[in-house]
Amino acid sequence: MANPSGGPEIEQLIQLLSRLPGLGPRSGRRAVLHLIKKKEQLMIPLAAALDRAVEAVKVCGTCGNVDTVSPCTICADPRRAESGLLIVVEDVADLWALERAGIGPVRYHVLGGVLSPLDGVGPDDISIDALIARAPEYREIVIGVNATVEGQTTAHYITDRLAGSGVKITRLAHGVPVGGELDYLDEGTLSQALKARTSF
Amino acid sequence: MEWSAEGLIIGVRKHGETSLILETMVPGRGRCFGLVRGGRSRKQAAALQPGNSALLTWRARLEDHLGLFTAEVTTMRAAVLIADRTRLYLSQMLADHLRLLPERDPHDTLLEAVLMLLDEHFDDAELGVELARFELYLLEELGFGLDLETCAVTGVHENLTHVSPKSGRAVCAEEAEPYKDRLLRLPRFLTADVPPEPGDVAAAFVLTGHFLDRHVWTARQIEPPATRDWLTMKLTGGL
């Protein structure tokens, strides 16, 4: 069959871009055509940036964040150590979301997933042992995993493992989201929101 | 191919960026999988959680295909389960147990028992009794039922106090006496409608755990549910 997208180099580029989140074969082809048209302004700088990133990107040996140095800039910041607060998150995207929210000088621990029997993810497959080792350095550990059944099972498992460490363990509140309408919420969430009510 | 029924969601797996593969237990159909397009959207992801029940419609060109699910949640239990550690672990352990069953093989009595365990508000002692009975019934449904009606040595039906760890058959008190340390204790509440005596629920979990391990977990080279140890300790007063 004739190759409709040019030579093998272009076809390979389309295939690779098609695997990126949000892109499929059609949008991958469009992106490649755009890159070819804007070779000087986009394609060459992108290739150079990718090359530099491949060389520079490291996974932080302390928290699991992605940065160009290890320990990452968050772990290396001495002001963050003073708060004594460690937030445990599922993956790097959650860490970045909390940083975007500007929650203050805290440190993080990225688990790299949650316990999931269906996916065959057990306690040894996520970064729990490293968290146990870090725990004594902190005053409080906030379990910031998702409010899903698997996320909360992981949270309880971590709490078990941290029992006896002497560190205060807390979790993010569950309840009515900003912009949420009460009549669209399920009974369990409403019940939890009522239990966790605060003074007004 | 198309069918509709109300089923229990027992597992959820991310598929691509926007979709989910739903694992469900459906009356008359057993453990069924299906793809939910857009299942990872904000609106749907919160509803499609293990423990919730949903009105499911499954469509596929051939019966062997994974198929597409459309799901409308009918009972939302997940938020309540998340709020209570015992019930959260219970739901995860029950899902792990149901996952041992073959796909598309109906086990309606087990499903009814799971729904009862999730919906009734038992105290720890009652839950321990019901869960031990459930595991015993699970063994039977998996084809490894224990013979707890007749003594393997004498054939009598009374005063059965132990079980052989190899054959899974009951042994009466007199015959069991010299080998007590090598036999598993058979609590009376597993064979009769009587309340458990102290230590009975723990003994029942040792019994069911032994045979699940022997016939299922070890044989299939899988780990026992990570939640079972904590849950059995909690329900037997060990925590």
Side-chain angles (χ1 to χ4, degrees), chain A residues 45 59 73 80 155 167 175 191:
Chain A
V59 175
T73 45
R80 289 175 181 265
V167 184
S191 159

Side-chain angles (χ1 to χ4, degrees), chain A residues 53-71:
Chain A
V54 167
E55 291 297 317
V57 168
K58 294 179 178 71
V59 175
C60 175
T62 309
C63 72
N65 187 19
V66 177
D67 205 333
T68 52
V69 285
S70 179

Side-chain angles (χ1 to χ4, degrees), chain A:
Chain A
M1 198 175 105
N3 186 347
S5 308
E9 293 83 1
I10 295 174
E11 190 57 35
Q12 189 188 15
L13 193 57
I14 292 169
Q15 281 181 8
L16 289 171
L17 285 176
S18 305
R19 292 189 206 162
L20 294 178
L23 297 187
R26 191 178 290 267
S27 44
R29 194 170 291 123
R30 284 179 61 204
V32 168
L33 277 174
H34 188 71
L35 285 171
I36 291 167
K37 277 183 196 163
K38 306 263 180 182
K39 189 175 174 181
E40 296 296 328
Q41 300 100 310
L42 267 180
M43 200 174 190
I44 293 171
L46 179 66
L50 282 172
D51 204 32
R52 283 197 302 275
V54 167
E55 291 297 317
V57 168
K58 294 179 178 71
V59 175
C60 175
T62 309
C63 72
N65 187 19
V66 177
D67 205 333
T68 52
V69 285
S70 179
C72 66
T73 45
I74 291 176
C75 290
D77 185 350
R79 286 172 305 167
R80 289 175 181 265
E82 289 164 15
S83 72
L85 202 64
L86 181 75
I87 303 183
V88 181
V89 292
E90 276 182 34
D91 57 39
V92 177
D94 298 331
L95 186 159
W96 289 357
L98 287 165
E99 278 295 288
R100 279 200 307 275
I103 54 168
V106 299
R107 281 187 172 164
Y108 300 93
H109 187 85
V110 180
L111 290 173
V114 286
L115 300 176
S116 172
L118 190 56
D119 290 324
V121 180
D124 296 336
D125 301 313
I126 55 178
S127 177
I128 292 179
D129 289 337
L131 172 65
I132 308 299
R134 292 180 75 189
E137 301 165 28
Y138 296 91
R139 180 175 51 80
E140 180 177 346
I141 294 178
V142 183
I143 313 284
V145 294
N146 293 335
T148 59
V149 169
E150 286 174 347
Q152 293 307 304
T153 305
T154 309
H156 285 303
Y157 182 83
I158 291 170
T159 311
D160 273 347
R161 294 283 306 272
L162 287 171
S165 64
V167 184
K168 182 181 177 186
I169 301 163
T170 54
R171 71 171 186 188
L172 297 181
H174 298 160
V176 184
V178 174
E181 295 176 30
L182 294 190
D183 61 344
Y184 281 98
L185 289 179
D186 66 280
E187 301 82 0
T189 305
L190 275 175
S191 159
Q192 287 206 41
L194 194 65
K195 278 183 197 160
R197 66 189 182 275
T198 53
S199 297
F200 198 45

Side-chain angles (χ1 to χ4, degrees), chain B residues 41-58:
Chain B
S41 68
R42 263 187 212 178
K43 192 178 167 190
Q44 286 208 69
L48 300 178
Q49 287 290 310
N52 288 346
S53 290
L55 187 61
L56 303 160
T57 302
W58 182 85

Side-chain angles (χ1 to χ4, degrees), chain B residues 61-82:
Chain B
R61 196 165 58 80
L62 295 173
E63 194 159 357
D64 289 347
H65 288 177
L66 171 66
L68 293 175
F69 264 144
T70 52
E72 188 183 335
V73 172
T74 50
T75 310
M76 292 191 112
R77 298 184 189 88
V80 179
L81 297 174
I82 283 172

